[in-house]
Amino acid sequence: MGIDETKPIVVRSLVKKFGDQVVLDDLNFHVNKGEILVIMGGSGCGKSTLLRLLIGAMRPTSGSIEMLGADLARLDDEGLDDLRKKTGILFQSGALFNSMTVGENIALPLKEHTKLSADVIGIMVKMKLEMVGLRDFEHLKPSEISGGMKKRVGLARAMALDPQIMFYDEPSAGLDPVASAMIDELMMDLNKKTGVTSIVVTHDMGSAFKIAHRMILLFKGRAVAVGTPAEIRSSGDPLVQQFINGLADGPIPLRVSRKDYAEDLLEPFIERF
Ligand SMILES: Nc1ncnc2c1ncn2[C@@H]1O[C@H](COP(=O)(O)OP(=O)(O)OP(=O)(O)O)[C@@H](O)[C@H]1O
Ligand SMILES: [Mg+2]
């Protein structure tokens, strides 16, 4: 199979099992270069697992992930390390080091992965902070800034090495509507200005429809809907409508259990007899 540079990520027949639990079940999708792809799905449907597989932090049970032309499964540690330099991740918590200042946090990947002098790194840190609108906060510690600002610092750090691909795990979780709108604007701005291909996992429907070029809805480990926001909004599938409108009533079950209820209740008796 040849390398398609217009598709920096191609996922084929991806399966991930934990024991006998099938979390991702024959998942197929691709991400186009320079687009913002939003991944949606109910709690526990495997979104974070998918992100972990995509960043190479976990191996699939079967299937393949091609990233920037390389098959993840075939990469050795050096290859994976190389790829990680080309990708940035904004973790849900921001994952900043509390003992370091904001500036030192952003400088970290530059110190680890480049041979740039301290002066040049200093300038780059200021540029990244300016990019997220926090230039005056370089010398503060993460504990001295708000949750929304921590996310922005996390974003500046993730962008430090000018990645080609950015992963965002629930970027607006835990933020007030204003801080969350600011993160949306920043993601769109970065995408527009740098052309970074972006994969965003989110529960926030307002944000999803605002930022996405295309969206994927996961259900029971499969992609049940893929399309532009307009296509998803006008989908005739009741499952899609239930999810995007946040309705309690519909095909998505209220209770999620791998065991039959009666069987679960009667298990101690079944075992005894
Ligand atoms: N390391 C693991 N070992 C065993 N089971 C796991 C592991 N990681 C995830 N799971 C299971 O896989 C399923 C999907 O988990 P995952 O965290 O990917 O869901 P999610 O879609 O990110 O949910 P949420 O929206 O709540 O963050 C869950 O049932 C979870 O218990
Ligand atoms: Mg998750």
mmCIF file with all atom_site columns, all heavy atoms in Angstrom, residues 17-19 21 23-24 41-50 52 58 92 169-170 201 203 218 258, ligand 1:
data_model
loop_
_atom_site.group_PDB
_atom_site.id
_atom_site.type_symbol
_atom_site.label_atom_id
_atom_site.label_alt_id
_atom_site.label_comp_id
_atom_site.label_asym_id
_atom_site.label_entity_id
_atom_site.label_seq_id
_atom_site.pdbx_PDB_ins_code
_atom_site.Cartn_x
_atom_site.Cartn_y
_atom_site.Cartn_z
_atom_site.occupancy
_atom_site.B_iso_or_equiv
_atom_site.pdbx_formal_charge
_atom_site.auth_seq_id
_atom_site.auth_comp_id
_atom_site.auth_asym_id
_atom_site.auth_atom_id
_atom_site.pdbx_PDB_model_num
ATOM   1   N N   . LYS A 1 17  ? -9.158  -5.334  22.604 1.00 0.00 ? 17  LYS A N   1
ATOM   2   C CA  . LYS A 1 17  ? -9.882  -6.095  23.629 1.00 0.00 ? 17  LYS A CA  1
ATOM   3   C C   . LYS A 1 17  ? -9.133  -5.973  24.943 1.00 0.00 ? 17  LYS A C   1
ATOM   4   O O   . LYS A 1 17  ? -7.902  -5.948  24.959 1.00 0.00 ? 17  LYS A O   1
ATOM   5   C CB  . LYS A 1 17  ? -9.945  -7.575  23.256 1.00 0.00 ? 17  LYS A CB  1
ATOM   6   C CG  . LYS A 1 17  ? -10.757 -7.873  22.025 1.00 0.00 ? 17  LYS A CG  1
ATOM   7   C CD  . LYS A 1 17  ? -10.788 -9.378  21.794 1.00 0.00 ? 17  LYS A CD  1
ATOM   8   C CE  . LYS A 1 17  ? -11.383 -9.710  20.442 1.00 0.00 ? 17  LYS A CE  1
ATOM   9   N NZ  . LYS A 1 17  ? -11.230 -11.116 20.090 1.00 0.00 ? 17  LYS A NZ  1
ATOM   10  N N   . PHE A 1 18  ? -9.870  -5.913  26.047 1.00 0.00 ? 18  PHE A N   1
ATOM   11  C CA  . PHE A 1 18  ? -9.280  -6.078  27.370 1.00 0.00 ? 18  PHE A CA  1
ATOM   12  C C   . PHE A 1 18  ? -9.891  -7.354  27.918 1.00 0.00 ? 18  PHE A C   1
ATOM   13  O O   . PHE A 1 18  ? -11.086 -7.371  28.217 1.00 0.00 ? 18  PHE A O   1
ATOM   14  C CB  . PHE A 1 18  ? -9.608  -4.893  28.289 1.00 0.00 ? 18  PHE A CB  1
ATOM   15  C CG  . PHE A 1 18  ? -8.986  -3.597  27.843 1.00 0.00 ? 18  PHE A CG  1
ATOM   16  C CD1 . PHE A 1 18  ? -9.770  -2.562  27.336 1.00 0.00 ? 18  PHE A CD1 1
ATOM   17  C CD2 . PHE A 1 18  ? -7.616  -3.400  27.938 1.00 0.00 ? 18  PHE A CD2 1
ATOM   18  C CE1 . PHE A 1 18  ? -9.193  -1.363  26.935 1.00 0.00 ? 18  PHE A CE1 1
ATOM   19  C CE2 . PHE A 1 18  ? -7.031  -2.204  27.534 1.00 0.00 ? 18  PHE A CE2 1
ATOM   20  C CZ  . PHE A 1 18  ? -7.822  -1.190  27.032 1.00 0.00 ? 18  PHE A CZ  1
ATOM   21  N N   . GLY A 1 19  ? -9.116  -8.436  27.988 1.00 0.00 ? 19  GLY A N   1
ATOM   22  C CA  . GLY A 1 19  ? -9.689  -9.731  28.355 1.00 0.00 ? 19  GLY A CA  1
ATOM   23  C C   . GLY A 1 19  ? -10.722 -10.098 27.313 1.00 0.00 ? 19  GLY A C   1
ATOM   24  O O   . GLY A 1 19  ? -10.438 -10.038 26.113 1.00 0.00 ? 19  GLY A O   1
ATOM   25  N N   . GLN A 1 21  ? -13.509 -8.368  26.938 1.00 0.00 ? 21  GLN A N   1
ATOM   26  C CA  . GLN A 1 21  ? -14.279 -7.166  26.606 1.00 0.00 ? 21  GLN A CA  1
ATOM   27  C C   . GLN A 1 21  ? -13.739 -6.525  25.324 1.00 0.00 ? 21  GLN A C   1
ATOM   28  O O   . GLN A 1 21  ? -12.582 -6.137  25.252 1.00 0.00 ? 21  GLN A O   1
ATOM   29  C CB  . GLN A 1 21  ? -14.183 -6.155  27.764 1.00 0.00 ? 21  GLN A CB  1
ATOM   30  C CG  . GLN A 1 21  ? -15.036 -4.917  27.528 1.00 0.00 ? 21  GLN A CG  1
ATOM   31  C CD  . GLN A 1 21  ? -14.720 -3.794  28.513 1.00 0.00 ? 21  GLN A CD  1
ATOM   32  O OE1 . GLN A 1 21  ? -13.795 -3.885  29.308 1.00 0.00 ? 21  GLN A OE1 1
ATOM   33  N NE2 . GLN A 1 21  ? -15.504 -2.737  28.458 1.00 0.00 ? 21  GLN A NE2 1
ATOM   34  N N   . VAL A 1 23  ? -13.509 -3.511  23.210 1.00 0.00 ? 23  VAL A N   1
ATOM   35  C CA  . VAL A 1 23  ? -13.730 -2.067  23.353 1.00 0.00 ? 23  VAL A CA  1
ATOM   36  C C   . VAL A 1 23  ? -13.811 -1.402  21.976 1.00 0.00 ? 23  VAL A C   1
ATOM   37  O O   . VAL A 1 23  ? -14.703 -0.603  21.713 1.00 0.00 ? 23  VAL A O   1
ATOM   38  C CB  . VAL A 1 23  ? -12.631 -1.425  24.230 1.00 0.00 ? 23  VAL A CB  1
ATOM   39  C CG1 . VAL A 1 23  ? -12.794 0.081   24.277 1.00 0.00 ? 23  VAL A CG1 1
ATOM   40  C CG2 . VAL A 1 23  ? -12.703 -1.994  25.645 1.00 0.00 ? 23  VAL A CG2 1
ATOM   41  N N   . LEU A 1 24  ? -12.881 -1.726  21.094 1.00 0.00 ? 24  LEU A N   1
ATOM   42  C CA  . LEU A 1 24  ? -12.963 -1.226  19.720 1.00 0.00 ? 24  LEU A CA  1
ATOM   43  C C   . LEU A 1 24  ? -13.130 -2.426  18.805 1.00 0.00 ? 24  LEU A C   1
ATOM   44  O O   . LEU A 1 24  ? -12.388 -3.407  18.912 1.00 0.00 ? 24  LEU A O   1
ATOM   45  C CB  . LEU A 1 24  ? -11.705 -0.432  19.356 1.00 0.00 ? 24  LEU A CB  1
ATOM   46  C CG  . LEU A 1 24  ? -11.451 0.820   20.211 1.00 0.00 ? 24  LEU A CG  1
ATOM   47  C CD1 . LEU A 1 24  ? -10.136 1.483   19.827 1.00 0.00 ? 24  LEU A CD1 1
ATOM   48  C CD2 . LEU A 1 24  ? -12.591 1.819   20.108 1.00 0.00 ? 24  LEU A CD2 1
ATOM   49  N N   . GLY A 1 41  ? -18.704 10.153  21.484 1.00 0.00 ? 41  GLY A N   1
ATOM   50  C CA  . GLY A 1 41  ? -19.224 8.856   21.887 1.00 0.00 ? 41  GLY A CA  1
ATOM   51  C C   . GLY A 1 41  ? -19.469 8.861   23.377 1.00 0.00 ? 41  GLY A C   1
ATOM   52  O O   . GLY A 1 41  ? -18.841 9.628   24.114 1.00 0.00 ? 41  GLY A O   1
ATOM   53  N N   . GLY A 1 42  ? -20.367 8.002   23.816 1.00 0.00 ? 42  GLY A N   1
ATOM   54  C CA  . GLY A 1 42  ? -20.740 7.952   25.230 1.00 0.00 ? 42  GLY A CA  1
ATOM   55  C C   . GLY A 1 42  ? -19.576 7.532   26.106 1.00 0.00 ? 42  GLY A C   1
ATOM   56  O O   . GLY A 1 42  ? -18.566 7.007   25.631 1.00 0.00 ? 42  GLY A O   1
ATOM   57  N N   . SER A 1 43  ? -19.748 7.763   27.399 1.00 0.00 ? 43  SER A N   1
ATOM   58  C CA  . SER A 1 43  ? -18.733 7.399   28.372 1.00 0.00 ? 43  SER A CA  1
ATOM   59  C C   . SER A 1 43  ? -18.444 5.898   28.287 1.00 0.00 ? 43  SER A C   1
ATOM   60  O O   . SER A 1 43  ? -19.370 5.096   28.211 1.00 0.00 ? 43  SER A O   1
ATOM   61  C CB  . SER A 1 43  ? -19.260 7.756   29.766 1.00 0.00 ? 43  SER A CB  1
ATOM   62  O OG  . SER A 1 43  ? -18.189 7.902   30.619 1.00 0.00 ? 43  SER A OG  1
ATOM   63  N N   . GLY A 1 44  ? -17.185 5.539   28.241 1.00 0.00 ? 44  GLY A N   1
ATOM   64  C CA  . GLY A 1 44  ? -16.808 4.132   28.234 1.00 0.00 ? 44  GLY A CA  1
ATOM   65  C C   . GLY A 1 44  ? -16.827 3.491   26.854 1.00 0.00 ? 44  GLY A C   1
ATOM   66  O O   . GLY A 1 44  ? -16.600 2.285   26.722 1.00 0.00 ? 44  GLY A O   1
ATOM   67  N N   . CYS A 1 45  ? -17.080 4.279   25.798 1.00 0.00 ? 45  CYS A N   1
ATOM   68  C CA  . CYS A 1 45  ? -17.173 3.667   24.458 1.00 0.00 ? 45  CYS A CA  1
ATOM   69  C C   . CYS A 1 45  ? -15.798 3.469   23.827 1.00 0.00 ? 45  CYS A C   1
ATOM   70  O O   . CYS A 1 45  ? -15.695 2.903   22.741 1.00 0.00 ? 45  CYS A O   1
ATOM   71  C CB  . CYS A 1 45  ? -18.064 4.480   23.541 1.00 0.00 ? 45  CYS A CB  1
ATOM   72  S SG  . CYS A 1 45  ? -17.242 5.947   22.942 1.00 0.00 ? 45  CYS A SG  1
ATOM   73  N N   . GLY A 1 46  ? -14.752 3.945   24.486 1.00 0.00 ? 46  GLY A N   1
ATOM   74  C CA  . GLY A 1 46  ? -13.411 3.653   23.976 1.00 0.00 ? 46  GLY A CA  1
ATOM   75  C C   . GLY A 1 46  ? -12.661 4.829   23.367 1.00 0.00 ? 46  GLY A C   1
ATOM   76  O O   . GLY A 1 46  ? -11.667 4.626   22.674 1.00 0.00 ? 46  GLY A O   1
ATOM   77  N N   . LYS A 1 47  ? -13.098 6.042   23.653 1.00 0.00 ? 47  LYS A N   1
ATOM   78  C CA  . LYS A 1 47  ? -12.446 7.218   23.048 1.00 0.00 ? 47  LYS A CA  1
ATOM   79  C C   . LYS A 1 47  ? -11.005 7.377   23.542 1.00 0.00 ? 47  LYS A C   1
ATOM   80  O O   . LYS A 1 47  ? -10.088 7.553   22.745 1.00 0.00 ? 47  LYS A O   1
ATOM   81  C CB  . LYS A 1 47  ? -13.244 8.490   23.350 1.00 0.00 ? 47  LYS A CB  1
ATOM   82  C CG  . LYS A 1 47  ? -14.678 8.449   22.846 1.00 0.00 ? 47  LYS A CG  1
ATOM   83  C CD  . LYS A 1 47  ? -15.423 9.713   23.179 1.00 0.00 ? 47  LYS A CD  1
ATOM   84  C CE  . LYS A 1 47  ? -15.569 9.997   24.661 1.00 0.00 ? 47  LYS A CE  1
ATOM   85  N NZ  . LYS A 1 47  ? -16.343 9.012   25.419 1.00 0.00 ? 47  LYS A NZ  1
ATOM   86  N N   . SER A 1 48  ? -10.825 7.302   24.868 1.00 0.00 ? 48  SER A N   1
ATOM   87  C CA  . SER A 1 48  ? -9.463  7.462   25.398 1.00 0.00 ? 48  SER A CA  1
ATOM   88  C C   . SER A 1 48  ? -8.584  6.290   24.977 1.00 0.00 ? 48  SER A C   1
ATOM   89  O O   . SER A 1 48  ? -7.396  6.466   24.701 1.00 0.00 ? 48  SER A O   1
ATOM   90  C CB  . SER A 1 48  ? -9.487  7.565   26.926 1.00 0.00 ? 48  SER A CB  1
ATOM   91  O OG  . SER A 1 48  ? -10.163 8.733   27.313 1.00 0.00 ? 48  SER A OG  1
ATOM   92  N N   . THR A 1 49  ? -9.181  5.108   24.919 1.00 0.00 ? 49  THR A N   1
ATOM   93  C CA  . THR A 1 49  ? -8.434  3.935   24.449 1.00 0.00 ? 49  THR A CA  1
ATOM   94  C C   . THR A 1 49  ? -7.952  4.170   23.020 1.00 0.00 ? 49  THR A C   1
ATOM   95  O O   . THR A 1 49  ? -6.791  3.905   22.698 1.00 0.00 ? 49  THR A O   1
ATOM   96  C CB  . THR A 1 49  ? -9.335  2.674   24.511 1.00 0.00 ? 49  THR A CB  1
ATOM   97  O OG1 . THR A 1 49  ? -9.774  2.519   25.856 1.00 0.00 ? 49  THR A OG1 1
ATOM   98  C CG2 . THR A 1 49  ? -8.616  1.432   24.043 1.00 0.00 ? 49  THR A CG2 1
ATOM   99  N N   . LEU A 1 50  ? -8.837  4.709   22.178 1.00 0.00 ? 50  LEU A N   1
ATOM   100 C CA  . LEU A 1 50  ? -8.463  4.997   20.795 1.00 0.00 ? 50  LEU A CA  1
ATOM   101 C C   . LEU A 1 50  ? -7.308  6.005   20.755 1.00 0.00 ? 50  LEU A C   1
ATOM   102 O O   . LEU A 1 50  ? -6.338  5.805   20.014 1.00 0.00 ? 50  LEU A O   1
ATOM   103 C CB  . LEU A 1 50  ? -9.685  5.539   20.031 1.00 0.00 ? 50  LEU A CB  1
ATOM   104 C CG  . LEU A 1 50  ? -9.433  5.999   18.599 1.00 0.00 ? 50  LEU A CG  1
ATOM   105 C CD1 . LEU A 1 50  ? -8.898  4.852   17.739 1.00 0.00 ? 50  LEU A CD1 1
ATOM   106 C CD2 . LEU A 1 50  ? -10.707 6.574   17.968 1.00 0.00 ? 50  LEU A CD2 1
ATOM   107 N N   . ARG A 1 52  ? -5.060  6.505   23.065 1.00 0.00 ? 52  ARG A N   1
ATOM   108 C CA  . ARG A 1 52  ? -3.845  5.814   23.530 1.00 0.00 ? 52  ARG A CA  1
ATOM   109 C C   . ARG A 1 52  ? -3.239  4.955   22.426 1.00 0.00 ? 52  ARG A C   1
ATOM   110 O O   . ARG A 1 52  ? -2.031  4.862   22.284 1.00 0.00 ? 52  ARG A O   1
ATOM   111 C CB  . ARG A 1 52  ? -4.159  4.951   24.759 1.00 0.00 ? 52  ARG A CB  1
ATOM   112 C CG  . ARG A 1 52  ? -4.013  5.744   26.037 1.00 0.00 ? 52  ARG A CG  1
ATOM   113 C CD  . ARG A 1 52  ? -4.315  4.896   27.251 1.00 0.00 ? 52  ARG A CD  1
ATOM   114 N NE  . ARG A 1 52  ? -5.145  5.679   28.138 1.00 0.00 ? 52  ARG A NE  1
ATOM   115 C CZ  . ARG A 1 52  ? -6.323  5.323   28.600 1.00 0.00 ? 52  ARG A CZ  1
ATOM   116 N NH1 . ARG A 1 52  ? -6.824  4.141   28.324 1.00 0.00 ? 52  ARG A NH1 1
ATOM   117 N NH2 . ARG A 1 52  ? -7.001  6.129   29.375 1.00 0.00 ? 52  ARG A NH2 1
ATOM   118 N N   . MET A 1 58  ? -0.257  2.204   23.541 1.00 0.00 ? 58  MET A N   1
ATOM   119 C CA  . MET A 1 58  ? -0.899  0.901   23.735 1.00 0.00 ? 58  MET A CA  1
ATOM   120 C C   . MET A 1 58  ? -0.920  0.203   22.383 1.00 0.00 ? 58  MET A C   1
ATOM   121 O O   . MET A 1 58  ? -0.985  0.871   21.351 1.00 0.00 ? 58  MET A O   1
ATOM   122 C CB  . MET A 1 58  ? -2.324  1.193   24.199 1.00 0.00 ? 58  MET A CB  1
ATOM   123 C CG  . MET A 1 58  ? -3.008  0.141   24.953 1.00 0.00 ? 58  MET A CG  1
ATOM   124 S SD  . MET A 1 58  ? -4.676  0.732   25.287 1.00 0.00 ? 58  MET A SD  1
ATOM   125 C CE  . MET A 1 58  ? -4.618  0.936   27.029 1.00 0.00 ? 58  MET A CE  1
ATOM   126 N N   . GLN A 1 92  ? -6.199  15.736  29.269 1.00 0.00 ? 92  GLN A N   1
ATOM   127 C CA  . GLN A 1 92  ? -7.395  16.258  29.919 1.00 0.00 ? 92  GLN A CA  1
ATOM   128 C C   . GLN A 1 92  ? -7.044  17.187  31.075 1.00 0.00 ? 92  GLN A C   1
ATOM   129 O O   . GLN A 1 92  ? -7.616  18.249  31.239 1.00 0.00 ? 92  GLN A O   1
ATOM   130 C CB  . GLN A 1 92  ? -8.241  15.084  30.412 1.00 0.00 ? 92  GLN A CB  1
ATOM   131 C CG  . GLN A 1 92  ? -9.628  15.498  30.798 1.00 0.00 ? 92  GLN A CG  1
ATOM   132 C CD  . GLN A 1 92  ? -10.543 14.298  30.936 1.00 0.00 ? 92  GLN A CD  1
ATOM   133 O OE1 . GLN A 1 92  ? -10.351 13.273  30.307 1.00 0.00 ? 92  GLN A OE1 1
ATOM   134 N NE2 . GLN A 1 92  ? -11.528 14.431  31.774 1.00 0.00 ? 92  GLN A NE2 1
ATOM   135 N N   . ASP A 1 169 ? -7.588  15.530  24.285 1.00 0.00 ? 169 ASP A N   1
ATOM   136 C CA  . ASP A 1 169 ? -8.529  14.674  25.026 1.00 0.00 ? 169 ASP A CA  1
ATOM   137 C C   . ASP A 1 169 ? -9.417  15.560  25.893 1.00 0.00 ? 169 ASP A C   1
ATOM   138 O O   . ASP A 1 169 ? -8.941  16.160  26.856 1.00 0.00 ? 169 ASP A O   1
ATOM   139 C CB  . ASP A 1 169 ? -7.760  13.662  25.895 1.00 0.00 ? 169 ASP A CB  1
ATOM   140 C CG  . ASP A 1 169 ? -8.673  12.528  26.380 1.00 0.00 ? 169 ASP A CG  1
ATOM   141 O OD1 . ASP A 1 169 ? -9.883  12.537  26.048 1.00 0.00 ? 169 ASP A OD1 1
ATOM   142 O OD2 . ASP A 1 169 ? -8.184  11.639  27.096 1.00 0.00 ? 169 ASP A OD2 1
ATOM   143 N N   . GLU A 1 170 ? -10.686 15.656  25.533 1.00 0.00 ? 170 GLU A N   1
ATOM   144 C CA  . GLU A 1 170 ? -11.667 16.459  26.282 1.00 0.00 ? 170 GLU A CA  1
ATOM   145 C C   . GLU A 1 170 ? -11.121 17.840  26.630 1.00 0.00 ? 170 GLU A C   1
ATOM   146 O O   . GLU A 1 170 ? -11.011 18.186  27.816 1.00 0.00 ? 170 GLU A O   1
ATOM   147 C CB  . GLU A 1 170 ? -12.049 15.732  27.587 1.00 0.00 ? 170 GLU A CB  1
ATOM   148 C CG  . GLU A 1 170 ? -12.578 14.333  27.387 1.00 0.00 ? 170 GLU A CG  1
ATOM   149 C CD  . GLU A 1 170 ? -14.075 14.295  27.166 1.00 0.00 ? 170 GLU A CD  1
ATOM   150 O OE1 . GLU A 1 170 ? -14.700 15.371  27.091 1.00 0.00 ? 170 GLU A OE1 1
ATOM   151 O OE2 . GLU A 1 170 ? -14.612 13.190  27.038 1.00 0.00 ? 170 GLU A OE2 1
ATOM   152 N N   . VAL A 1 201 ? -11.173 14.642  20.988 1.00 0.00 ? 201 VAL A N   1
ATOM   153 C CA  . VAL A 1 201 ? -12.179 13.822  21.648 1.00 0.00 ? 201 VAL A CA  1
ATOM   154 C C   . VAL A 1 201 ? -12.981 14.750  22.544 1.00 0.00 ? 201 VAL A C   1
ATOM   155 O O   . VAL A 1 201 ? -12.400 15.458  23.372 1.00 0.00 ? 201 VAL A O   1
ATOM   156 C CB  . VAL A 1 201 ? -11.499 12.729  22.500 1.00 0.00 ? 201 VAL A CB  1
ATOM   157 C CG1 . VAL A 1 201 ? -12.483 12.142  23.493 1.00 0.00 ? 201 VAL A CG1 1
ATOM   158 C CG2 . VAL A 1 201 ? -10.934 11.638  21.614 1.00 0.00 ? 201 VAL A CG2 1
ATOM   159 N N   . HIS A 1 203 ? -17.024 15.579  24.599 1.00 0.00 ? 203 HIS A N   1
ATOM   160 C CA  . HIS A 1 203 ? -18.420 15.331  24.940 1.00 0.00 ? 203 HIS A CA  1
ATOM   161 C C   . HIS A 1 203 ? -19.256 16.563  24.673 1.00 0.00 ? 203 HIS A C   1
ATOM   162 O O   . HIS A 1 203 ? -20.470 16.530  24.733 1.00 0.00 ? 203 HIS A O   1
ATOM   163 C CB  . HIS A 1 203 ? -18.522 15.117  26.465 1.00 0.00 ? 203 HIS A CB  1
ATOM   164 C CG  . HIS A 1 203 ? -18.354 13.710  26.869 1.00 0.00 ? 203 HIS A CG  1
ATOM   165 N ND1 . HIS A 1 203 ? -17.563 13.362  27.923 1.00 0.00 ? 203 HIS A ND1 1
ATOM   166 C CD2 . HIS A 1 203 ? -18.864 12.570  26.386 1.00 0.00 ? 203 HIS A CD2 1
ATOM   167 C CE1 . HIS A 1 203 ? -17.602 12.053  28.063 1.00 0.00 ? 203 HIS A CE1 1
ATOM   168 N NE2 . HIS A 1 203 ? -18.375 11.556  27.144 1.00 0.00 ? 203 HIS A NE2 1
ATOM   169 N N   . LEU A 1 218 ? -18.748 7.216   17.861 1.00 0.00 ? 218 LEU A N   1
ATOM   170 C CA  . LEU A 1 218 ? -18.450 5.825   18.222 1.00 0.00 ? 218 LEU A CA  1
ATOM   171 C C   . LEU A 1 218 ? -19.592 5.261   19.055 1.00 0.00 ? 218 LEU A C   1
ATOM   172 O O   . LEU A 1 218 ? -20.135 5.940   19.931 1.00 0.00 ? 218 LEU A O   1
ATOM   173 C CB  . LEU A 1 218 ? -17.174 5.742   19.064 1.00 0.00 ? 218 LEU A CB  1
ATOM   174 C CG  . LEU A 1 218 ? -15.835 6.113   18.429 1.00 0.00 ? 218 LEU A CG  1
ATOM   175 C CD1 . LEU A 1 218 ? -14.711 5.870   19.432 1.00 0.00 ? 218 LEU A CD1 1
ATOM   176 C CD2 . LEU A 1 218 ? -15.594 5.306   17.172 1.00 0.00 ? 218 LEU A CD2 1
ATOM   177 N N   . ARG A 1 258 ? -22.064 -5.616  31.020 1.00 0.00 ? 258 ARG A N   1
ATOM   178 C CA  . ARG A 1 258 ? -21.681 -6.720  30.157 1.00 0.00 ? 258 ARG A CA  1
ATOM   179 C C   . ARG A 1 258 ? -22.402 -7.989  30.558 1.00 0.00 ? 258 ARG A C   1
ATOM   180 O O   . ARG A 1 258 ? -22.362 -8.986  29.888 1.00 0.00 ? 258 ARG A O   1
ATOM   181 C CB  . ARG A 1 258 ? -20.165 -6.912  30.190 1.00 0.00 ? 258 ARG A CB  1
ATOM   182 C CG  . ARG A 1 258 ? -19.444 -5.885  29.334 1.00 0.00 ? 258 ARG A CG  1
ATOM   183 C CD  . ARG A 1 258 ? -17.968 -6.078  29.389 1.00 0.00 ? 258 ARG A CD  1
ATOM   184 N NE  . ARG A 1 258 ? -17.433 -5.591  30.647 1.00 0.00 ? 258 ARG A NE  1
ATOM   185 C CZ  . ARG A 1 258 ? -16.362 -6.091  31.238 1.00 0.00 ? 258 ARG A CZ  1
ATOM   186 N NH1 . ARG A 1 258 ? -15.742 -7.117  30.706 1.00 0.00 ? 258 ARG A NH1 1
ATOM   187 N NH2 . ARG A 1 258 ? -15.913 -5.584  32.351 1.00 0.00 ? 258 ARG A NH2 1
HETATM 188 N N1  . LIG B 2 .   ? -6.114  -0.571  30.637 1.00 0.00 ? 1   LIG B N1  1
HETATM 189 C C1  . LIG B 2 .   ? -7.344  -1.066  30.658 1.00 0.00 ? 1   LIG B C1  1
HETATM 190 N N2  . LIG B 2 .   ? -7.576  -2.317  31.136 1.00 0.00 ? 1   LIG B N2  1
HETATM 191 C C2  . LIG B 2 .   ? -8.816  -2.835  31.139 1.00 0.00 ? 1   LIG B C2  1
HETATM 192 N N3  . LIG B 2 .   ? -9.909  -2.196  30.686 1.00 0.00 ? 1   LIG B N3  1
HETATM 193 C C3  . LIG B 2 .   ? -9.745  -0.952  30.208 1.00 0.00 ? 1   LIG B C3  1
HETATM 194 C C4  . LIG B 2 .   ? -8.466  -0.319  30.171 1.00 0.00 ? 1   LIG B C4  1
HETATM 195 N N4  . LIG B 2 .   ? -8.606  0.907   29.627 1.00 0.00 ? 1   LIG B N4  1
HETATM 196 C C5  . LIG B 2 .   ? -9.914  1.036   29.337 1.00 0.00 ? 1   LIG B C5  1
HETATM 197 N N5  . LIG B 2 .   ? -10.601 -0.063  29.692 1.00 0.00 ? 1   LIG B N5  1
HETATM 198 C C6  . LIG B 2 .   ? -12.044 -0.289  29.486 1.00 0.00 ? 1   LIG B C6  1
HETATM 199 O O1  . LIG B 2 .   ? -12.349 0.063   28.156 1.00 0.00 ? 1   LIG B O1  1
HETATM 200 C C7  . LIG B 2 .   ? -13.603 0.740   28.081 1.00 0.00 ? 1   LIG B C7  1
HETATM 201 C C8  . LIG B 2 .   ? -13.422 2.050   27.372 1.00 0.00 ? 1   LIG B C8  1
HETATM 202 O O2  . LIG B 2 .   ? -12.671 2.935   28.183 1.00 0.00 ? 1   LIG B O2  1
HETATM 203 P P1  . LIG B 2 .   ? -12.227 4.385   27.711 1.00 0.00 ? 1   LIG B P1  1
HETATM 204 O O3  . LIG B 2 .   ? -11.527 5.026   28.838 1.00 0.00 ? 1   LIG B O3  1
HETATM 205 O O4  . LIG B 2 .   ? -11.512 4.271   26.423 1.00 0.00 ? 1   LIG B O4  1
HETATM 206 O O5  . LIG B 2 .   ? -13.639 5.078   27.476 1.00 0.00 ? 1   LIG B O5  1
HETATM 207 P P2  . LIG B 2 .   ? -13.994 6.577   27.076 1.00 0.00 ? 1   LIG B P2  1
HETATM 208 O O6  . LIG B 2 .   ? -14.825 6.523   25.861 1.00 0.00 ? 1   LIG B O6  1
HETATM 209 O O7  . LIG B 2 .   ? -12.746 7.382   27.034 1.00 0.00 ? 1   LIG B O7  1
HETATM 210 O O8  . LIG B 2 .   ? -14.912 7.035   28.297 1.00 0.00 ? 1   LIG B O8  1
HETATM 211 P P3  . LIG B 2 .   ? -15.060 8.495   28.982 1.00 0.00 ? 1   LIG B P3  1
HETATM 212 O O9  . LIG B 2 .   ? -15.924 9.293   28.052 1.00 0.00 ? 1   LIG B O9  1
HETATM 213 O O10 . LIG B 2 .   ? -15.774 8.208   30.246 1.00 0.00 ? 1   LIG B O10 1
HETATM 214 O O11 . LIG B 2 .   ? -13.695 9.073   29.176 1.00 0.00 ? 1   LIG B O11 1
HETATM 215 C C9  . LIG B 2 .   ? -14.101 0.844   29.518 1.00 0.00 ? 1   LIG B C9  1
HETATM 216 O O12 . LIG B 2 .   ? -15.052 -0.185  29.735 1.00 0.00 ? 1   LIG B O12 1
HETATM 217 C C10 . LIG B 2 .   ? -12.896 0.633   30.360 1.00 0.00 ? 1   LIG B C10 1
HETATM 218 O O13 . LIG B 2 .   ? -13.199 0.021   31.567 1.00 0.00 ? 1   LIG B O13 1
#
